[in-house]
Amino acid sequence: MVVPKKNGKIRVCVDYRKLNAATVTDAFSLPFTYGILNAVAGHEIYSFLDGFNGYNQVLMHRDDQEKIAFVTKWGVFVAVVMMFGLKTAPATFQRVIQEIFHEYIPTFMQDFLDDFAVYSRKTDHFDHLRLCLERCQQGRLSLNPA
């Protein structure tokens, strides 16, 4: 189903229930919010970053693209990025984020999917933010401009 969004763009809603039923569960676990909050608490300064359209920044392997093809009244389309609604999307995205930022977690950064907390002493904070933003750029990860 193709649905117009308020900003004039379109949203494609695909029912992946049958594909998800046939998909092996990815056992990669998401972090516990309690652990993230405990790690961040008590530091002098925090910055919170929001990843923009997180799942849609992960490219699908070419061999898997046909598995998430969808049909509209305009034809058949194949997504080249991971679609929202796929059973393994959260675990896959979390794995990608932890690979991108592995040097910084848990030293001065915590993550939960596409939300990031950078925390440190005031004297180190801008350096830590710079490192995280540079790593976003290297990993081709967009942050929400809002």
Side-chain angles (χ1 to χ4, degrees), residues 101 104 108-109 124-138:
F101 295 108
Y104 309 148
F108 57 85
M109 181 181 182
D124 301 326
H125 197 66
F126 286 114
D127 289 333
H128 291 163
L129 273 177
R130 181 183 48 78
L131 289 170
C132 290
L133 294 173
E134 286 173 355
R135 188 58 57 91
C136 283
Q137 188 175 24
Q138 292 166 358

Side-chain angles (χ1 to χ4, degrees), residues 9-103:
K9 296 183 179 183
I10 62 168
R11 176 183 318 249
V12 178
C13 301
V14 182
D15 183 358
Y16 285 122
R17 286 181 285 189
K18 287 184 181 179
L19 176 62
N20 286 338
T23 301
V24 176
T25 301
D26 186 344
F28 195 86
S29 63
L30 299 178
F32 290 106
T33 309
Y34 181 78
I36 293 171
L37 294 174
N38 279 341
V40 173
H43 289 84
E44 286 185 84
I45 190 167
Y46 314 88
S47 291
F48 297 97
L49 307 172
D50 181 24
F52 184 67
N53 289 332
Y55 298 168
N56 300 126
Q57 297 183 54
V58 178
L59 296 175
M60 291 294 294
H61 190 278
R62 189 169 183 86
D63 295 342
D64 293 329
Q65 290 175 2
E66 68 183 39
K67 296 173 186 165
I68 62 169
F70 54 93
V71 179
T72 71
K73 64 182 178 181
W74 302 284
V76 178
F77 294 88
V78 176
V80 296
V81 295
M82 188 166 48
M83 298 285 287
F84 183 78
L86 293 172
K87 177 180 181 177
T88 59
T92 300
F93 187 72
Q94 187 69 39
R95 182 181 288 110
V96 168
I97 292 303
Q98 289 192 2
E99 286 177 16
I100 291 172
F101 295 108
H102 72 276
E103 294 175 55

